[in-house]
C-alpha cells in the first residue's frame, strides 16, 4: 500500500453525520441521465446484497462453528491469556490476544494468520475439520489486517520452520477466533512495511517501492502515522531503550542520595537567551517555557538540597531542522555540591554515563539486537574497557585535530567551539586511538559557555566546564557554576547582560543569601538513545517528536 | 526581622553599574547647601574608615590566629568533610561545611555559632586560648547569618544539653573557621522564623509578630523567598517526601513491566476542553500546553505498548485560587491493557497507592515526624489494616451521606458529582466507619466523566470510572476507556463534541486501526504529598508553585 493513502473514515450514513452538501452551481444537463444510471446501479447493488444476505443466512443455519468465531461473546470465561514469549514446546491449548499482521485464505478449507504481539510474530493456521466450518475459515482468512483478535488454539511444531515469523519453530492450530477490535480495511501504511528502515532520501520524487517491489515508507509517513509505526518490532525495542535510559538515570541518582525535583516549566522571564524561548499566554500576562531547569536546580542547591536531579521536558524554540534537533525533548538534569574540586562532580557524572551505557547493554541485549537488524551501520557502541570514562581537555582535542590536519587559529581556539564536523572527526580519531565511543572533554573556552560558568582559576581563557560525547556528538553539557554573587554579576556584565534586568532577581538573591560551591550537567535523553543505537535521526528516538514543522500527532 | 524587608542589593559603586540618574527637573535652591553637607559627612566617614583600617592593621600584626580564620585559603588540603548526621560521641576533630544559623559574641573571649546543615542544628563555641585571638572571636561572633562556613573543631559533650539545637548532646569547639560563601547582612526573612508554620490568616492587617514577639512569616513571604524557605527543616523533609512519591511510583510501575514514556507537552489542538488550556506561540502557529497526557498515553496503548507510565508536568490554565489548585503540577500517569475486566487495572492502581503510602511511612519516618512538629493537626495518615484498599461504589457514597443527613435528589445523583464539602464529609464518615484515610469510589455517573470514558455496560447512567481519595480529597481520577471507534464517536456527539473537529484525527485514527481494551489513571503528586502530610496548602508541597497570581520565583 502506498504512503499517500489516507486512513479510511466511516461513511456518513454509518456515523450519523450529514453527508457533504452538493455544489449547487454545478447543475448540468447530464444530471437526469446520471441519476437514472445511478438508480439502476443502486438497484443492482441492492439485489446483490439481498442475495448475499440470503446465502449467508442459509450458510449460517448450517454453520457448525457459529459459536467459535465472530464477535467476542460476553461470558464469565476468564481464562488467562498467554503471551507468545511464554510459549514452550509442549503441545497444549492456549488463548492469546494479538494483532492480525496478515490474513490469507489458501483454499475453502485452509487459511493462515500471522499474529503479532509487540512486534513478535507467530503463524496460526485453520483447517476445515469438525466442528470448524468453511464459513469460519472464510471469516478468519478475511480478517482485516491490524485487527486485534482473541485466538484459542493448540501450539504445535510446524513441519518446516516458518521463515516469515519471529517465532519460527511453533505455530497455533486455531480452534476459536473472536474479534476484539476491528481495524479499518484501508490503513495509511502497513506495519510490516514500516519494519524496514526509512530511506535517508525523502525528496518528493524519491522512489515509492524498493528493488523488490515493496513499498518504501518515508520517515514523514511513519511519524504522521506514529501509532502504527510504534507497533513495529524496531519501535517497540527503541521505546524500551528510552524507558531504560530514564530508569537507569534515576536509579543511579537515587542510589547517590539525590533528591528528585520538579521545577517549573512556566517561568516569568526569558532568562537563558531571549530568541529561542516559547512565549505563553499566562492569564493576562506573558510567560515563557523553561529552556532548561538550570537556574532552578541551582536555586535548589542554594536551598540546601545538596544533590538533586530532574527528569522533565525541555523546550527550545530553535528553528533548527536537522537530524538531531527537537523543539521538545526529555532532559535528564542533575546538580550537586562538592567539597574541594569540581572534578568530584565530573567524576560522578562520568560514572553515571558509564553505568547507564553499560547497563543498557546488559539489560536490553535483545532489544539492541533487534534494532541492529534495521540499523546495522553504526555497529556496537564501544565503552572504555577499564570501566572509567576517557577524559581529555578541550586543548587535547584541538591537538588531536591538528595532528589530523585540522588546525584552528589561536583566536578560533579560545573564542569558538568545535564545529559539528570537527566534533565528528574528533570522535573518529578518539575511537581509532582509544577504542571508545564515549568520552569527555573538559576545560572549554570561557567565551563559548554561559554566564553562570566558573572560569578556570589558573587560566581565565578557559572554564571549569565539560561536554560529554557519544560517537562524536554532544549529549551533555555541564560545569562548575559561579556561587559568589559579585563574581556572578561581573560574569553577566562581561557577557553583555544586565544583572538588574527583570527576571534575574530571584536567581541572584539566592547567591546573596549564601550558596555552596556546586557543579552539574544536563543530558538529552533522546540523543543518548539515538547515538547509543546509531539511529540516523533523533525523531526515531522520540515517541511523538516535535520540530519547527511538526506539532502532531 | 520583619517580612517586608527586601534583600540587600550591592550598592552601585560596588557592582560597577551606573548609579540611577537624577531627575533633571528637580534642581532646587537647596542643592548647594545639601552638597556641602554631604561633603562634610563623606569626609567624616573617610576619616573614620581610615582610623578603623589603621587599628585593624595594628591588630592584625598581633593576631596569633591570622591563618585560622577569614577567607578559605587555597590549599592542597583536601581532608574530607563530615556531616552532622555522621557524628559520634567520640571526642575527635572534624571539619564541617554548614550555614551560620545564628552568631553571637558573648564576651571579648567567647562567642557562639549555631551551625545548620539541611535544617539540622548543632552549637559551636569559640573561646580565647592560644592560638585563638580576640580578633578571631570577633570575626566568628560577627559572621552574617546564613553564610556558609567551613569549621574545624573538636566534637565534645556539652555540660548541659543545648536545647535550641537539633543535636543537643554534642557541640563543636572551634579551632578554625573560614568563609565559603558570605550572605548579605540583611535577609528578607530569617530561616528560623520560617521554621514555624505560616499563619492561616494572611490578610494585610494580620499581626506581624506572634504572642512571644517572634515575627510571623506569611505564606506569601515564604514563597517569594522560597530559596530561604527551602532551608528549613520542615521544607527539607517535605521535599524528601515529594521525591519519595515519585521514586515509589516509578519503582512500582517498573516492577510491573511498565514502560516509561515521554509524551509531548506542546500540542497542536486544545482537545481536552478549550477554556483551561495555555496558548503557546509556536513559530508562526498557535500551539497549546497539554492539560494531561490522556490522549497520548492511549495512543501508546494503541501502539501496542500495553503498560506505560509517565512522570511529567501537567498544565491547567484554570483561574482557581484555592488551597489545592496549581496551574502547573507533577502528574503521575499510567495506562494499561487488561484481559477481561477493568477491575484488573483498578486493583493494580489500588495496590500502587497502598504501596506508595505504606512505603512512605516506612522509609521516611524521620521526615514525617519532623513535619508533624509543624503541622500536627491532621494526625497520622491511616491506611487499611489488611493492606488492601477500601473500594465503594459512588452510590454507596451517596447512601453514606444520606445516612448522615445529606440527601442528593435523583437528578443530582446522576448528573452531578459530590461537592468538595460533601467529599470532605464523606471522608470523615468513611474514616469513622472504616478507619482509613485512603479509599476508592467506583462507578461514577457517566454525565460527570469525559467523553473517552466507557459507560457501565449494565447501566448506562454509570461508567466504568473511579476516583481515589485521601482524607476526603481527590488525588486520582481514572477509568476504562472506550476502545471502539464507533462507540467513541457516539460518546463525543452525546457530549456535544464534533468527532471531525480539527485536532482529533490522530487520536481517532488510533482506534480505527484497532486498539485493545485498556484503563488507567492520573495522580497529582503534589496533592498526594499535601494530603498524606495534612499540609494546609498545596503550595507547600511544590518547590516553586505556580498559580494564577504567581509566576515567580
Amino acid at each position: 500500500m502506498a504512503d499517500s493513502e489516507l486512513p479510511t473514515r466511516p461513511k456518513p450514513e454509518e456515523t450519523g453525520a450529514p453527508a457533504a452538501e452538493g455544489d449547487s452551481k454545478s447543475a448540468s444537463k447530464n444530471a437526469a441521465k446520471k441519476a437514472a444510471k445511478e438508480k439502476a446501479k443502486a438497484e443492482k447493488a441492492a439485489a446483490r446484497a439481498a442475495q448475499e444476505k440470503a446465502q449467508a443466512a442459509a450458510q449460517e443455519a448450517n454453520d457448525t462453528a457459529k459459536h467459535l468465531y465472530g464477535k467476542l461473546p460476553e461470558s464469565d470465561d476468564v481464562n488467562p491469556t498467554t503471551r507468545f514469549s511464554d510459549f514452550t514446546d509442549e503441545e497444549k491449548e492456549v488463548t492469546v490476544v494479538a494483532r492480525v499482521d496478515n490474513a490469507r485464505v489458501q483454499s475453502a478449507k485452509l487459511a493462515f494468520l500471522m499474529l503479532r504481539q509487540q512486534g513478535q510474530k507467530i503463524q496460526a493456521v485453520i483447517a476445515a475439520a469438525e466442528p470448524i466450518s468453511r464459513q469460519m475459515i472464510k471469516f478468519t482468512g478475511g480478517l482485516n489486517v491490524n485487527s486485534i483478535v482473541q485466538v484459542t488454539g493448540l501450539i504445535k511444531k510446524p513441519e518446516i520452520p516458518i521463515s516469515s515469523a519471529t517465532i519460527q519453530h511453533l505455530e497455533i492450530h486455531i480452534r476459536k477466533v473472536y474479534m476484539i477490535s476491528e481495524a479499518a480495511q484501508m490503513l495509511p501504511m502497513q506495519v510490516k512495511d514500516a519494519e524496514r528502515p526509512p530511506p535517508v532520501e525523502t525528496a518528493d520524487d524519491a522512489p515509492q517501492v524498493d528493488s523488490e517491489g515493496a513499498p518504501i515508507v518515508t520517515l514523514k509517513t511513519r511519524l504522521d502515522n506514529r501509532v502504527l509505526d510504534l507497533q513495529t518490532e524496531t519501535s517497540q525495542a527503541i521505546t524500551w531503550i528510552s524507558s531504560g535510559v530514564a530508569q537507569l538515570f534515576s536509579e543511579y541518582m537515587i542510589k547517590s542520595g539525590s533528591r528528585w525535583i520538579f521545577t517549573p516549566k512556566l517561568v516569568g522571564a526569558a532568562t537563558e537567551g531571549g530568541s529561542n524561548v516559547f512565549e505563553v499566554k499566562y492569564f493576562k500576562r506573558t510567560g515563557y517555557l523553561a529552556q532548561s531547569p538550570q537556574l532552578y536546580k541551582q536555586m535548589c542547591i542554594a536551598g540546601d538540597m545538596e544533590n538533586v536531579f530532574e527528569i522533565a521536558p525541555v523546550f527550545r524554540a530553535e528553528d533548527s531542522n536537522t537530524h538531531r534537533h527537537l523543539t521538545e525533548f526529555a532532559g535528564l538534569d542533575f546538580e550537586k555540591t562538592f567539597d574541594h574540586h569540581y572534578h568530584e562532580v565530573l567524576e560522578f557524572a562520568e560514572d553515571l554515563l558509564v553505568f547507564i551505557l553499560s547497563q543498557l547493554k546488559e539489560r536490553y541485549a535483545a532489544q539492541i539486537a533487534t534494532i541492529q537488524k534495521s540499523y546495522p551501520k553504526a555497529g556496537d557502541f564501544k565503552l572504555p574497557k577499564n570501566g572509567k570514562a576517557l577524559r581529555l581537555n578541550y586543548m587535547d582535542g584541538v591537538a588531536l585535530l591538528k595532528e589530523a590536519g585540522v588546525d584552528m587559529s589561536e583566536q578560533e581556539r579560545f573564542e569558538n567551539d568545535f564545529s559539528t564536523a570537527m566534533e565528528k572527526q574528533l570522535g573518529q580519531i578518539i575511537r581509532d586511538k582509544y577504542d571508545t565511543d564515549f568520552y569527555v572533554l573538559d576545560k572549554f573556552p570561557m567565551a563559548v559557555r554561559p554566564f553562570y560558568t566558573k572560569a578556570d582559576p589558573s587560566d581565565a581563557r578557559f572554564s571549569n566546564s565539560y561536554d560529554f560525547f557519544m560517537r562524536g556528538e554532544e549529549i551533555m553539557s555541564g560545569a562548575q557554576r559561579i556561587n559568589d554573587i559579585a563574581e556572578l554579576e561581573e560574569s553577566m556584565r562581561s557577557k553583555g547582560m544586565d544583572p538588574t534586568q527583570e527576571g534575574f532577581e530571584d536567581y541572584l538573591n539566592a547567591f546573596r543569601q549564601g550558596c555552596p560551591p556546586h557543579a552539574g550537567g544536563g543530558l538529552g535523553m533522546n540523543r543518548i538513545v539515538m547515538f547509543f543505537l546509531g539511529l540516523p535521526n533523533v525523531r526515531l528516538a522520540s515517541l511523538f517528536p516535535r520540530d519547527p514543522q511538526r506539532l502532531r500527532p
Side-chain angles (χ1 to χ4, degrees), chain A residues 247-268:
Chain A
Q247 180 186 337
L248 291 164
F249 175 72
S250 66
E251 245 182 72
Y252 182 92
M253 291 308 301
I254 287 167
K255 217 171 179 180
S256 82
S258 189
R259 237 177 292 190
W260 197 331
I261 57 171
F262 296 86
T263 68
K265 304 308 149 201
L266 287 166
V267 295

Side-chain angles (χ1 to χ4, degrees), chain A residues 319-388:
Chain A
D319 198 3
S320 295
N321 296 278
T322 78
H323 72 293
R324 61 176 196 171
H325 282 90
L326 294 170
T327 53
E328 176 181 345
F329 61 88
L332 310 176
D333 269 88
F334 66 93
E335 202 70 27
K336 227 171 123 36
T337 56
F338 60 81
D339 269 357
H340 304 289
H341 198 281
Y342 80 99
H343 279 179
E344 295 162 33
V345 178
L346 178 52
E347 197 179 336
F348 170 89
E350 289 168 348
D351 290 349
L352 161 67
L353 262 289
V354 170
F355 174 76
I356 293 175
L357 300 173
S358 57
Q359 286 296 308
L360 281 180
K361 281 172 175 261
E362 209 170 301
R363 301 189 198 179
Y364 297 93
Q367 284 86 353
I368 293 168
T370 295
I371 296 159
Q372 281 187 334
K373 283 191 291 176
S374 289
Y375 301 101
K377 209 179 131 196
D380 275 338
F381 191 89
K382 289 194 175 188
L383 279 169
K385 302 255 175 319
N386 64 357
K388 294 299 284 182

Side-chain angles (χ1 to χ4, degrees), chain A residues 26-93:
Chain A
S26 68
S28 105
K29 50 181 176 182
N30 287 328
K33 204 170 164 185
K34 202 173 162 189
K37 213 171 168 180
E38 299 250 315
K39 199 184 162 199
K41 207 170 156 188
E43 277 165 2
K44 214 168 157 184
R48 195 171 52 231
Q51 191 188 0
E52 276 172 12
K53 206 171 163 186
Q55 275 173 355
Q59 277 173 1
E60 202 190 330
N62 297 326
D63 190 347
T64 52
K66 262 192 297 202
H67 56 298
L68 300 178
Y69 70 99
K71 195 168 165 262
L72 184 67
E74 304 232 1
S75 85
D76 295 331
D77 174 19
V78 287
N79 288 332
T81 60
T82 309
R83 298 192 61 77
F84 294 175
S85 50
D86 293 332
F87 283 5
T88 60
D89 287 357
E90 193 195 344
E91 192 173 309
K92 67 167 184 180
E93 189 176 280

